[in-house]
Amino acid sequence: MNNIKITYHRWFREKSIETTFPSCWSEMTPRQFLALTSRPDDHELLAVMLDIPKRIVKRLSLLQIHELANLFDFIKRDQKVSSFSLTTLRIPSAGILHSPNPKLQEMPFMQFVYVDTFYMSYAVDPRFETLCKLVSYLYSPKTGFNKITADANIDKIRKLDKKTLEAISLNYGLIRKWITERYPLVFPKHSNTRKSHDSSWLDVFDNIVGDDLKDRDKYAEVPVNAVFRFITKKIKEGRK
């Protein structure tokens, strides 16, 4: 976190205020994350990032604005996070939905398959319907992920502000970047087509289940990190 001291003039008097500015994505508050992804005017964005009134930002000199703008360099430098900034979503008639835990801990593998498929599809063809499905499958009730509930919540997710949904999509993308670096053998750097990507997760699931079809639902609930560790182990064994 960057500690900032801002000096400005008001009524011919010099005043100062001490505040902070995030140095990486993980230090941002939900309000700052939404502001950065929704692209407001420069004064509004700086006010939110510095957590100070907009009227003070408007009193800053061009040199001060330029120096503060340099603090946004972390956007290019730090392109991954391990947790969601928006940990909850309040949905009318659906209550409060929760994001996955940091590092996607305890996230069911089948939930990841759905979410990642929607995310990759939205990256190629950014349709609002796909974005709503992504968020609906990503955020779950306190009781945990359930496909029937996720499908039922899609219509309710459509009523949320699109900028909020896009912020969530970006947040997942940053977490996905963290995951790919943690499991490089599972996510090789060379990219495949969307079709092969989608089918690959289904192939992974089928390989894990094998002939044990009666316990298919149990395998779907296996934490995604456990699946990635399993895949990594099998790849290493295959290279020996």
Side-chain angles (χ1 to χ4, degrees):
M1 188 71 77
N2 297 297
N3 295 314
I4 307 293
K5 183 177 181 180
I6 296 176
T7 301
Y8 63 99
H9 290 84
R10 184 184 182 190
W11 301 112
F12 306 104
R13 295 179 60 184
E14 184 175 277
K15 293 192 172 186
S16 64
I17 183 172
E18 294 185 359
T19 185
T20 57
F21 194 104
S23 60
C24 58
W25 287 96
S26 60
E27 292 178 349
M28 295 174 62
T29 65
R31 181 167 177 258
Q32 290 171 332
F33 195 95
L34 284 172
L36 188 59
T37 55
S38 61
R39 300 178 293 276
D41 67 75
D42 293 344
H43 288 151
E44 177 67 25
L45 178 58
L46 278 175
V48 174
M49 296 298 290
L50 291 166
D51 194 24
I52 62 176
K54 186 176 179 179
R55 56 181 172 78
I56 293 180
V57 175
K58 289 184 175 181
R59 295 179 181 274
L60 302 182
S61 66
L62 289 178
L63 177 59
Q64 287 175 305
I65 295 293
H66 174 72
E67 291 177 342
L68 290 172
N70 289 332
L71 297 178
F72 285 98
D73 286 349
F74 77 85
I75 296 175
K76 296 180 180 179
R77 184 182 68 253
D78 177 47
Q79 297 184 344
K80 60 183 183 298
V81 296
S82 60
S83 60
F84 286 89
S85 179
L86 298 173
T87 57
T88 59
L89 283 178
R90 188 177 295 275
I91 310 297
S93 71
I96 297 178
L97 302 181
H98 301 265
S99 70
N101 294 325
K103 302 179 182 180
L104 302 186
Q105 292 293 334
E106 305 306 319
M107 182 183 194
F109 177 61
M110 188 51 65
Q111 181 185 10
F112 172 82
V113 170
Y114 285 123
V115 168
D116 203 59
T117 299
F118 289 137
Y119 174 78
M120 297 300 290
S121 178
Y122 184 70
V124 175
D125 185 9
R127 297 184 179 183
F128 183 65
E129 179 68 16
T130 306
L131 179 61
C132 292
K133 290 180 179 179
L134 166 62
V135 175
S136 185
Y137 273 72
L138 193 56
Y139 283 72
S140 306
K142 197 68 175 178
T143 52
F145 173 74
N146 180 283
K147 185 180 184 301
I148 296 176
T149 302
D151 285 334
N153 285 337
I154 294 176
D155 286 339
K156 301 165 187 175
I157 293 293
R158 289 193 188 100
K159 299 177 182 178
L160 296 180
D161 181 38
K162 185 179 180 181
K163 292 180 179 179
T164 299
L165 303 183
E166 289 176 335
I168 292 173
S169 176
L170 172 62
N171 202 162
Y172 174 75
L174 295 170
I175 293 173
R176 192 180 192 280
K177 175 67 174 177
W178 182 87
I179 288 290
T180 60
E181 292 190 4
R182 187 178 186 184
Y183 302 102
L185 296 181
V186 181
F187 299 89
K189 290 186 177 181
H190 60 274
S191 60
N192 300 320
T193 62
R194 190 184 74 184
K195 181 177 180 180
S196 62
H197 172 87
D198 294 353
S199 61
S200 66
W201 287 131
L202 296 177
D203 291 340
V204 168
F205 183 66
D206 288 340
N207 287 334
I208 293 174
V209 174
D211 296 328
D212 197 3
L213 298 180
K214 62 183 178 61
D215 288 328
R216 187 179 181 89
D217 291 342
K218 291 183 180 180
Y219 285 106
E221 294 297 320
V222 174
V224 65
N225 281 281
V227 173
F228 290 159
R229 287 192 293 268
F230 172 80
I231 298 173
T232 299
K233 179 181 178 181
K234 289 298 182 182
I235 292 176
K236 289 182 177 180
E237 290 177 352
R239 291 181 175 180
K240 292 181 179 178

